[in-house]
């Protein structure tokens, strides 16, 4: 599959829209787009194969299933892994297990973009402080949104566009060189990474106060033969009333 320059730019925009702190799709919207299963589907839609994009994105999503960022630290960029990883996998015709092994290192490279973004944004904060001393509210609002987002757009879209446009051929050449045992090893590693993500998620579920909800969902699925959508709806309702009850107690 060949990726045109227009498609590569659109893939870069998908990655930008899913970056943390992006105000345009709202915080919730950017969080949703950042998930590899969603980003992969959008990339597949751009490349004309949304089903395969969703399949690869879902596979890449598994290692990140319990992924969180704490205190502004970004150990890996799930959004970059999902968008660029899916694009490269589709362009190179990779299986989902191999795509995972390639996407995770790509996600690690995303930390460079994040650190650059946070470092340069400090400049805009100092400029906003100066505007605050002048009492210029309009300038503060402008510096809070426009310059950081222009800079973020540049450092997100350009690298991903280049990676999507040129990366497919490069990865395809590398895969051809790795045919045989090396590629088989990569496939095994890629198959193990989802287990790590699921194990992290299970570790979080096993904590006091959450294990019973997991058991309830499991029982609803097994003994009442409810599908995942029905279980998710009941879980949403139960979590809402639980949150309201905890709020009243506090």
């Amino acid at each position: 599959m060949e990726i045109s320059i227009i498609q590569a730019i659109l893939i870069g925009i998908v990655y930008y829209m899913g970056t943390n702190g992006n105000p345009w799709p709202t915080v919730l919207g950017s969080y949703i787009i950042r998930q590899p299963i969603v980003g992969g589907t959008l990339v597949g839609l751009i490349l004309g194969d949304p089903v395969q994009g969703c399949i690869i994105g879902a596979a890449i999503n598994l290692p990140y299933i319990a992924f969180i960022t704490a205190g502004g630290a970004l150990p890996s960029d799930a959004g970059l892994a999902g968008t660029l990883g899916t694009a490269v996998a589709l362009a190179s015709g990779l299986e989902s297990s191999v795509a995972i092994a390639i996407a995770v290192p790509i996600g690690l490279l995303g930390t460079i973009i994040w650190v650059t973004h946070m470092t340069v944004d400090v400049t805009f904060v100092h400029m906003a402080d100066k505007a605050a001393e002048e009492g210029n509210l309009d300038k503060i609002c402008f510096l809070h949104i426009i310059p950081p987002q222009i800079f973020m757009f540049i450092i997100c879209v350009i690298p991903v566009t280049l990676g999507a446009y040129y990366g497919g051929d490069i990865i395809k050449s590398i895969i051809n060189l790795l045919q045989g045992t090396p590629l088989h090893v990569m496939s095994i590693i890629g198959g193990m990474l989802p287990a790590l993500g699921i194990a992290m998620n299970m570790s979080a579920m096993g904590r006091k106060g959450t294990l019973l909800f997991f058991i309830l969902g499991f029982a609803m699925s097994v003994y009442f033969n409810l599908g995942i959508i029905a279980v998710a709806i009941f879980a949403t309702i139960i979590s809402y009333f639980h949150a309201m009850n905890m709020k009243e107690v506090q």
Side-chain angles (χ1 to χ4, degrees), residues 15 72 74 109-124 148 151-152 154-156 159:
Y15 170 61
L74 188 72
L109 293 175
T111 58
I112 299 174
I113 295 176
W114 174 252
V115 171
T116 303
H117 164 55
M118 297 296 285
T119 302
V120 174
D121 275 4
V122 172
T123 304
F124 303 127
F151 178 71
M152 191 65 176
I154 292 172
I155 65 172
C156 286

Side-chain angles (χ1 to χ4, degrees), residues 63 144 247:
H144 179 64
K247 184 178 180 180

Side-chain angles (χ1 to χ4, degrees), residues 3-170:
I3 298 179
S4 69
I5 187 63
I6 300 299
Q7 289 174 321
I9 293 172
L10 291 174
I11 292 169
I13 292 174
V14 169
Y15 170 61
Y16 163 71
M17 294 299 287
T19 52
N20 193 14
N22 191 317
W24 314 125
T26 73
V27 174
L28 179 61
S30 63
Y31 176 80
I32 292 172
I33 296 172
R34 187 160 63 248
Q35 303 309 306
I37 188 173
V38 178
T41 304
L42 294 175
V43 169
L45 188 63
I46 293 170
L47 298 180
D49 194 351
V51 174
Q52 189 63 21
C54 181
I55 292 171
I56 294 175
I60 295 173
N61 210 137
L62 285 173
Y64 297 97
I65 197 168
F67 177 80
I68 61 170
T69 58
L74 188 72
S76 183
D77 192 340
L80 185 62
T83 51
L84 188 54
T86 301
V88 169
L90 286 174
S92 305
L94 302 180
E95 295 181 1
S96 57
S97 57
V98 179
I100 297 171
I102 291 175
V104 170
I106 290 175
L108 292 174
L109 293 175
T111 58
I112 299 174
I113 295 176
W114 174 252
V115 171
T116 303
H117 164 55
M118 297 296 285
T119 302
V120 174
D121 275 4
V122 172
T123 304
F124 303 127
V125 173
H126 291 315
M127 295 170 67
D129 288 340
K130 186 176 180 180
E133 293 175 358
E134 299 170 353
N136 192 337
L137 183 60
D138 291 336
K139 189 174 182 180
I140 295 172
C141 295
F142 174 80
L143 291 169
H144 179 64
I145 298 175
I146 305 302
Q149 289 306 313
I150 291 175
F151 178 71
M152 191 65 176
F153 183 87
I154 292 172
I155 65 172
C156 286
V157 174
I158 292 178
V160 174
T161 297
L162 294 175
Y165 188 68
Y166 294 106
D169 293 334
I170 295 173

Side-chain angles (χ1 to χ4, degrees), residues 220-240:
M220 291 171 66
S221 176
V222 174
Y223 296 107
F224 294 100
N225 295 320
L226 296 179
I228 190 66
I229 301 295
V231 173
I233 292 173
F234 281 113
T236 302
I237 296 171
I238 293 171
S239 62
Y240 172 80

